[in-house]
Every structure is written in C-alpha cells, then in structure tokens.
Amino acid sequence: MVGVVIVSHSQKVAEGIREMALQMSAPEQKIIAAGGMADGGIGTDAFRVSEAIVSADTGDGVAIMVDLGSAVLSTETAFEFLDEELRSKVQIADAPILEGAISAVVEASLGSNLAAVVATAEGARTLNKC
Amino acid sequence: MSGNLYEVISAVGEMIIGNRQKLTDLDAAIGDGDHGINMARGFEAVKAKLQGMEMESDIGKVLKIVGMTLISSVGGAAGPLYGTAFLRAAAPSQGKTELDTQTIGLMLEAAIAGIKERGKATTGEKTMLDALVPAYEAFQDGANTGKTVTACLELAYEAAQQGVEFTKTIIATKGRASYLGERSRGHQDPGATSSYIMLKALVEYLRR
Ligand SMILES: Nc1ncnc2c1ncn2[C@@H]1O[C@H](COP(=O)(O)OP(=O)(O)O)[C@@H](O)[C@H]1O
Ligand SMILES: [Mg+2]
C-alpha cells in the first residue's frame, strides 16, 4: 500500500492532518507526520522528512503532501538522502495539504499505485466546498 | 586561503548571529520575518556541532558538517538552500587544508549550481542568487588576472553589496516574497543580504 507523508512547518498541523486522515484509512496503512523542527519550532527539516519517508514505505512508494515554500525545498533535499531504489518511488503531490492528504489516503487504502494516489490528491485542488 | 578553519567558520557564524535582528526586519517587510532567527539558529547549531573539532583541518569535511547542520536547523527556505550550497562546496575542497583561487572558484560555482537547482531559480528573481552570482563572477575576474585570494574575495564582496542594492529595484518571483508581487519592489532581499554578510565576514577575517 502506498504510504503518505505530511510535511508542514507546524508539528501540530502535520499531526492534526494525520489524525483526520486516519479516520479514512485502512488499518495497516502508513500515514506519517513530519511537521516542525526537532526542537518543536516552526519550520521544516529535511532529515525529519527523509526519516518519515523511510517509515512510510512498505514497498509501494510514498506520496508526500506539503504546505508552503520551504516544505517543498526540504522534501526535495530529503530525496537526496534516500537510497536510489526508494528515491524512484516517492512523489510530491501539488495539492492543498489537508484535502490532498485525505484524498491520497482514501485512494491508497483502495490499493491504488503511486501515480493514481498522487493524481487523486492533486484532484483535490478543484474540490468545491459550497 | 590559510588561517584557522574553525575561526573562519566562527567569524561567519558570529556575523550572522550579530545580524539576526537586521535580517529578521528585512524578512518582516517582504516575507514572514524569520530569516534572521532561522540563520542565527542554524549557525548556533553549527557552533555547537563544531565544538571539539577546533583542530580539524579538512575543509571539505567541515563544510559538509556545516551544510548538514544548516539543513536540519535553519527551518526556512534558507536551510535547504544554504545547506545544499555548503554540501556542494564541500566536494571540491574534500581533503584540502588550504585553498587557492582555482579551488574557491570551483566551490562557489558548485554552491551556486546547488542553490539554482534546489530553488529552481536564477538571477533577477530577488533572491540570494542576486548577491552570489555577481560575487562569483567578480571572484573569477580577479582570479583570471592573477589576484590573491584575499583580493578576489574583496572583489566578490563588493559585487555582492551591489547585488543586494540591485534586489531593491526588482520584484520577487521566487520564495514567500513572490506572494507580494509588485509590493516587494523597494525592499532589499533578506537572503541576498545574508549572503553578503557571510562574504563580509570572510573578508574581514582575512584582513585581520
Ligand atoms: N526558490 C528560491 N531560490 C533561491 N533563493 C530563495 C528561494 N526561495 C527563497 N529564497 C531565499 O530565501 C530567503 C528567505 O529565507 P527564509 O526567510 O529563511 O525562508 P522562508 O521564506 O521559508 O521563511 C529569501 O530572501 C531568498 O533570498
Ligand atoms: Mg522567512
């Protein structure tokens, strides 16, 4: 099953989104929060992201949901720390972090592949709310 | 360049830490007001990490530690950008205990390529590249005419200063400041300023 990593500047945001996504998930599904800095401060840390990716992978790859700016830069930096095999099956979804994470988790829980999970997450960009 | 490696890094770190407020104020005008806090946190972490390594003379090895530490402690965009820059500069200086103009040129070139790649940015976008790229070009001009390392770094420092001034005249198209569009004009870029400050610290150290 494709894993999902949530990268936010805020630990609380990442964990809160994870909590909401878990409600929609399958029991054995990997959803990992990588929010904030090691000292709890606001920011992103490429090493925390790479560790999260490693623990989210069960062999089918990992879709990564990001918030703003440096979340993308840190995630792409994190890719450099992965072994080549894992690096070939990780992808950032260009999607709103909360809606994207929930869409990704639902798609992954159906057993879809990484490309499908990322595409569904990116589809969340055009979700109408009212 | 000779001189104590640990002292050089410390001089750069202290000058960044001393400019925490200035960098933060610049970022408050066109960003989220954390660049000084981020950079100071990063160089405080570097200071702690190099504790006990005062005698290490392998320049590449030390720059690699600096890069890794900045990546994990800066927090903002500057973390992966400067972190990648130091990691890339570590490759041409691996195993070296002294630097000549040729090696420094290669280090600057590699660092800038790393920032461009990581940030998907180029000059004219109101970023640190607007200080670093002219600084590198001035350094190379000096090196090509046979100037000393110190003289070349002085040229680089002056070019970086002009680059910082240039950032006031353009609008940001990368990073958080790009959300402001036209309203970013008239302000100097915090990242270009921190790059200039690092070069300033290097030059002042070498002049001592
Ligand atoms: N994509 C990019 N490429 C190059 N430099 C960038 C990019 N994004 C931001 N920067 C630089 O980073 C600086 C802001 O750093 P910082 O405040 O630490 O990050 P954040 O924007 O995440 O708060 C900017 O002033 C700019 O020089
Ligand atoms: Mg900032």
Side-chain angles (χ1 to χ4, degrees):
Chain A
M1 199 175 288
V2 173
V4 174
V5 167
I6 299 153
V7 181
S8 170
H9 281 65
S10 156
Q11 192 174 334
K12 286 182 188 163
V13 167
E15 277 166 9
I17 291 174
R18 173 173 185 273
E19 239 181 301
M20 284 177 69
L22 274 174
Q23 295 189 299
M24 313 288 284
S25 68
E28 72 280 22
Q29 200 168 350
K30 295 275 191 194
I31 308 169
I32 312 285
M37 309 289 294
D39 66 1
I42 295 274
T44 57
D45 172 349
F47 292 104
R48 277 164 86 80
V49 177
S50 74
E51 281 166 20
I53 293 170
V54 169
S55 41
D57 180 50
T58 56
D60 297 324
V62 180
I64 300 144
M65 317 307 305
V66 294
D67 63 6
L68 304 170
S70 74
V72 179
L73 298 182
S74 286
T75 301
E76 286 172 350
T77 305
F79 289 172
E80 288 192 19
F81 305 139
L82 303 176
D83 64 50
E84 228 165 288
E85 208 231 322
L86 183 49
R87 203 184 310 155
S88 68
K89 48 186 188 183
V90 291
Q91 205 177 326
I92 299 175
D94 185 6
I97 184 164
L98 169 65
E99 290 85 344
I102 291 175
S103 306
V105 164
V106 170
E107 189 65 51
S109 71
L110 305 173
S112 307
N113 66 20
L114 178 62
V117 170
V118 169
T120 301
E122 294 184 345
R125 265 188 297 195
T126 53
L127 267 177
N128 290 325
K129 294 185 188 176
C130 51
Chain B
M1 177 161 68
S2 58
N4 187 313
L5 179 57
Y6 178 79
E7 277 177 24
V8 176
I9 306 283
S10 300
V12 170
E14 288 310 324
M15 180 119 15
I16 289 287
I17 292 166
N19 279 280
R20 180 198 319 242
Q21 194 58 45
K22 181 188 175 157
L23 293 172
T24 290
D25 291 345
L26 290 173
D27 196 32
I30 55 169
D32 55 352
D34 63 2
H35 188 60
I37 299 167
N38 292 345
M39 293 299 292
R41 177 169 57 196
F43 276 98
E44 292 284 3
V46 166
K47 210 194 313 191
K49 199 82 178 183
L50 293 183
Q51 213 53 239
M53 288 188 61
E54 291 84 350
M55 293 298 137
E56 178 59 58
S57 59
D58 180 338
I59 294 167
K61 189 170 167 188
V62 169
L63 292 183
K64 194 167 171 200
I65 293 172
V66 172
M68 289 295 205
T69 307
L70 292 179
I71 285 173
S72 65
S73 63
V74 169
L81 292 167
Y82 280 132
T84 302
F86 278 96
L87 288 185
R88 296 290 169 88
S93 56
Q94 194 68 42
K96 295 215 154 74
T97 57
E98 266 185 53
L99 298 176
D100 52 18
T101 52
Q102 196 196 348
T103 311
I104 299 176
L106 292 173
M107 291 164 71
L108 287 171
E109 186 184 3
I112 288 169
I115 294 171
K116 285 184 168 171
E117 188 187 310
R118 178 72 59 236
K120 301 181 186 76
T122 180
T123 46
E125 299 199 273
K126 203 180 179 96
T127 70
M128 52 182 70
L129 289 169
D130 291 311
L132 292 172
V133 171
Y136 165 67
E137 287 167 356
F139 185 94
Q140 285 300 75
D141 285 345
N144 290 338
T145 52
K147 294 203 162 62
T148 63
V149 166
T150 305
C152 290
L153 282 172
E154 281 173 345
L155 292 173
Y157 156 72
E158 281 158 23
Q161 191 166 26
Q162 285 164 19
V164 169
E165 288 303 311
F166 170 66
T167 63
K168 292 181 185 168
T169 68
I170 55 178
I171 63 167
T173 51
K174 283 282 159 16
R176 248 175 233 271
S178 64
Y179 297 136
L180 290 180
E182 192 56 49
R183 278 179 296 147
S184 66
R185 205 191 296 276
H187 298 280
Q188 85 189 52
D189 179 61
T193 308
S194 57
S195 292
Y196 154 75
I197 286 170
M198 287 190 233
L199 281 167
K200 182 177 173 177
L202 267 184
V203 166
E204 286 186 5
Y205 177 84
L206 291 173
R207 278 180 185 160
R208 253 186 252 162

